[in-house]
Every structure is written in structure tokens, then in C-alpha cells.
Amino acid sequence: MDQVFKALSDGTRREMIERLTRGPSSVGELARPLSMSLPAVMQHLQVLEACGLVRSEKAGRVRTCHLEPDGLRMAEDWLGGQRTGWEHRLDRLGDFLNSDEGKES
């Protein structure tokens, strides 16, 4: 999971993931809106593939990238668990502040 969050910490890689949510894309299509060389785009894709967020396949001269939802799901599940804990603590704080004891403080 650390690799997933590290991969998502980069804006370029998040942009690539966002593009792939709309469907598979060739490396050239992913690179087009980015202001970087094709080898730099390939390095970003290697990071995304290494952590399981993206997979690619080559047909002839075209490499097509696909989003791997399971990688994102793992991060989403972890964040959801954290959110549940935060909401529970905030609910307890709200209850305390609305109680007679909290009003006296």
C-alpha cells in the first residue's frame, strides 16, 4: 500500500490515472497533454505498473494502458477505515461539547 500512495503522490501520475478512468489509452495518448518526453512518461507508467494501479499490453507497436481497480480499491478501503475512525471521534467530541460537562468547560 505504501507504493500505491507514493505513486499517487505525484501529480503527473494522478493525471494519468484520471485519464485511464475514462478507459484504456495508448502511451502516446497519455503523453500528449503532458509537457515531458516519452521516456519520462514511460518511467511514470512503470511506477504505476509496479504498484498494481495500471497494467499495459503491447500489440504491434502500440502499448495500451488499462486501470487496475483493485490497486485503487485497496487505498480506498484504507482511507474509508480511517474516515470511520475520524467520524467516530468527532461524534464523541460533539456529544461532549453538547453535554452539561462540555458546556461548563
Side-chain angles (χ1 to χ4, degrees):
M1 185 166 35
D2 290 345
Q3 288 182 336
V4 170
F5 283 111
K6 184 176 180 180
L8 293 174
S9 72
D10 183 87
T12 297
R13 291 191 284 266
R14 287 192 308 272
E15 189 174 334
M16 291 173 158
I17 293 290
E18 176 64 31
R19 166 57 190 88
L20 291 172
T21 62
R22 298 188 295 264
S25 181
S26 71
V27 172
E29 291 169 340
L30 285 173
R32 196 168 293 123
L34 303 172
S35 59
M36 62 179 61
S37 67
L38 195 55
V41 170
M42 289 300 297
Q43 286 180 333
H44 283 291
L45 285 171
Q46 287 172 353
V47 171
L48 292 170
E49 285 189 78
C51 70
L53 292 174
V54 170
R55 71 176 166 81
S56 69
E57 54 193 30
K58 190 170 184 177
R61 296 180 64 189
V62 177
R63 180 167 295 281
T64 303
C65 300
H66 305 265
L67 188 63
E68 283 292 327
D70 288 341
L72 286 174
R73 196 168 294 120
M74 179 178 49
E76 180 183 17
D77 290 346
W78 184 84
L79 288 170
Q82 296 301 308
R83 182 184 314 114
T84 300
W86 299 331
E87 289 171 350
H88 179 69
R89 285 189 288 278
L90 288 172
D91 288 345
R92 286 185 16 220
L93 176 61
D95 292 344
F96 172 76
L97 293 174
N98 289 328
S99 70
D100 291 336
E101 186 180 341
K103 290 178 183 175
E104 291 174 9
S105 298

